Amino acid sequence: MYDKPDAQQLIEAVNQHLEGELLTLAKATNPKLYFQTLVAIHVLKIVAREIESVDADLEAEWQDLDRLMNMGKMPHTNQKILSALTIQKDQLCQQIRSGERDQDAGLFAYLEASCLRQLKVANPRLLETMKNEPPVL
Amino acid sequence: MELEQIPQLSEYLSHSSGQKITIQDAKPLAGGASRDSWYLRAEISEPDGTKQEAHWVLRQDLPTQMTETALTRRQEYLLMSLAHKAGVKVAAMRFLCEDHGVLGSDFLIMDYMPGVSIGSKVIRDEALAAARAVLPEQLAQELAKIHQMEIGPELSFLRKPQPGLSPAEQTISHMRGVLDQLRVRNPVWEFLLRWCERYLPEESPLSFIHGDYRIGNILVDKSGLSAVIDWEFAHIGDFYEELGYICMRDWRFGKGHLRFAGLSDRDQFLKAYESARGISVNREKVDWWELMGNIRWGIICHSQADRHLSGADPSVELASLGRRSVEMQYEALCLVQRMKQI
């Protein structure tokens, strides 16, 4: 729909700019700016992963929450899906806090799956590390 | 502080102490997010003409405070002095100034203590390998002393649980309040807080708590622990809170499988703590507070992101913390899974 570069490619271009001369200059002159630039690079990578995953993640979130909340038919646009998910999650939160869901055996599996989806976007390296590390004593 | 202010600082210190004090060198220190820290080299002239050299650290309030519950310089000065008197490895306090005419805001001066505090260095620097071997015991011994500090009327300013609520109950209530205030509706946090509420640990007698006791807030040199620093989150609570806190994954600086602070297994630390205090430590209670430490830090991440989103403190770093919360959410779920009750 839009001319090239696409969103991912634009993000990549910005990151190349940040990781190149800018980072070298910041490292040599301003430690605080250097650290913030590293954070900015890291944040853009999260955005890139989110763009890549969001469609599949919304669908998976819908399917998983459906097992707990009876969501009905999934809407067609991401915005509508997100809106409906927010309303249902709000209700789920109230139920959990009141103790209604204390004996719900399926709740943990949903929460874990939801977290894993988010962590794959936010910090896939941590996920790998946790999978491969020796047992924590 | 600016370098141009050094002469008036020297003047203030001389006037305050009755000795002739000249600041001869001042270097900014990489400090915590909410304080301005400087290393000072001072020359003190005695009346008989002899001169002494002193090495100090100056800590000054900055205009933006990270949280309104952190302590004033006076309160920090007082409780660090009490800790020093109790035999805790902490810098001796030298000056407290509440006259804004000197440097523009409150400041205190303490002895400079050797060592590094940066977590990744403490955990990975080859030169500190011998120090790392003794740190679990040393950290246990200092914490035991801190938890046994007397809580007299002069410490009445310290945050404590409301009457009728245990520290555990207070923390759950506080966390729910923060979520509601931020309008964060996250079933993971609701599940974890409800789980903590259902499996509340037994209360311990209230103790003095450092509040942020971990690698990153201690100075380490080749012989190990040199000083405990950053007392701004001190409060009164359940000492198990601190036994769990230092075990949190985020404070292991990449050595995730070494549950105690990225240094050792947990039992090495807990056994040393038991020995130092002459008590027995309930491991399941420590588990509960390690879990709660993850919940608190994960929820604070939302608060930090909100400071950026609200426009109060625009910062890419604060914004990024909003996406770090899920790391603590996932770790907390893993902890719950390991504990007996699931």
Side-chain angles (χ1 to χ4, degrees), chain B residues 24 31 37 89 97 132 140 144 146 215 217 234 282 287 302 335 340:
Chain B
Q24 302 197 309
S37 287
K89 278 190 181 165
C97 176
R132 280 192 289 277
I146 289 169
I215 303 290
N217 287 333
N282 180 317
D287 289 344
H302 295 309
L335 285 173
K340 279 197 292 195

Side-chain angles (χ1 to χ4, degrees), chain B residues 214-233:
Chain B
R214 57 175 175 87
I215 303 290
N217 287 333
I218 57 162
L219 291 172
V220 176
D221 64 8
K222 286 198 162 77
S223 59
L225 174 58
S226 154
V228 179
I229 60 175
D230 285 348
W231 292 73
E232 55 206 290
F233 297 111

Side-chain angles (χ1 to χ4, degrees), chain B residues 113-119 121-122 125 128 216 218-221 226:
Chain B
M113 303 294 279
V116 297
S117 67
I118 297 177
K121 240 190 152 165
V122 170
D125 196 346
L128 295 175
I218 57 162
L219 291 172
V220 176
D221 64 8
S226 154

Side-chain angles (χ1 to χ4, degrees), chain A residues 50 90 97 102 123 133, chain B residues 185 190 194 249 323:
Chain A
E50 181 172 317
D90 202 345
R97 196 182 282 199
D102 284 355
N123 195 341
E133 75 188 3
Chain B
R185 308 261 186 263
E190 294 303 329
R194 175 65 188 153
R249 176 177 288 276
R323 292 299 189 105

Side-chain angles (χ1 to χ4, degrees), chain A residues 35-36 39 43 46 50 90 92-93 96-97 99 102-103 107-108 111-112 115-116 118-119 121-123 126-127 130 133-134 136-137, chain B residues 176 180 185-188 190-191 194 198 249 252 256-257 259 265-266 316-317 320 323 326-327 329-331 333-334 336-338 342:
Chain A
F35 175 72
Q36 286 171 337
V39 173
V43 162
I46 293 176
E50 181 172 317
D90 202 345
L92 180 60
C93 285
I96 296 171
R97 196 182 282 199
D102 284 355
Q103 305 308 324
L107 178 58
F108 190 90
L111 297 173
E112 191 181 23
C115 265
L116 281 170
Q118 292 187 67
L119 202 45
V121 169
N123 195 341
L126 175 65
L127 209 46
M130 286 174 78
E133 75 188 3
V136 178
L137 297 172
Chain B
R176 283 179 171 149
D180 292 346
R185 308 261 186 263
N186 185 328
V188 175
E190 294 303 329
F191 168 79
R194 175 65 188 153
R198 291 172 68 198
R249 176 177 288 276
R252 299 175 202 162
H257 63 290
R259 193 173 185 184
D265 64 57
R266 194 177 69 168
V316 70
E317 187 188 344
S320 75
R323 292 299 189 105
V326 75
E327 296 174 17
Q329 290 170 43
Y330 184 64
E331 169 69 4
L333 288 178
C334 291
V336 164
Q337 198 160 39
R338 275 167 55 131
I342 196 85

